[in-house]
Amino acid sequence: MKPKLVIAETSYSNWNYHLRLVLPGEEKYSGGAGPALCGQAMGWDTKIPLSVYGNKDHIPSSYCSKCKELAETQGFVIAVKVL
Ligand SMILES: [Zn+2]
């Protein structure tokens, strides 16, 4: 099975998003997620669509630019520019 890219969140800070690869069906929405592409420890996966990775909205969310770069080197397309 081909791994897919999911947006994961750190357990210590809300809305601090990274990316990680996970096999379909092995997402960890309630904790126990593996590390992000950049090596950062993750708390859990989210169901946020990849297409909004990098979007800023009313909440003080942050997105890891290192994860975006690493995902792109693996052929994934992240549409939003991550600041
Ligand atoms: Zn990261």
Side-chain angles (χ1 to χ4, degrees):
M1 234 181 328
K2 199 173 178 303
K4 63 175 190 171
L5 202 58
V6 295
I7 299 180
E9 193 170 9
T10 61
S11 58
Y12 59 85
S13 169
N14 284 342
W15 312 307
N16 181 219
Y17 298 117
H18 292 255
L19 297 168
R20 73 183 200 102
L21 287 170
V22 61
L23 289 174
E26 296 193 349
E27 301 89 346
K28 304 283 187 190
Y29 296 121
S30 56
L37 291 176
C38 69
Q40 172 70 53
M42 290 288 96
W44 46 82
D45 295 325
T46 72
K47 295 184 179 177
I48 300 169
L50 261 190
S51 58
V52 304
Y53 192 81
N55 261 4
K56 296 288 183 185
D57 49 27
H58 63 287
I59 55 172
S61 49
S62 69
Y63 298 86
C64 177
S65 57
K66 185 75 184 164
C67 276
K68 177 179 186 278
E69 279 177 34
L70 291 167
E72 286 172 340
T73 64
Q74 295 187 35
F76 291 96
V77 177
I78 313 289
V80 179
K81 183 173 164 50
V82 176
L83 299 174

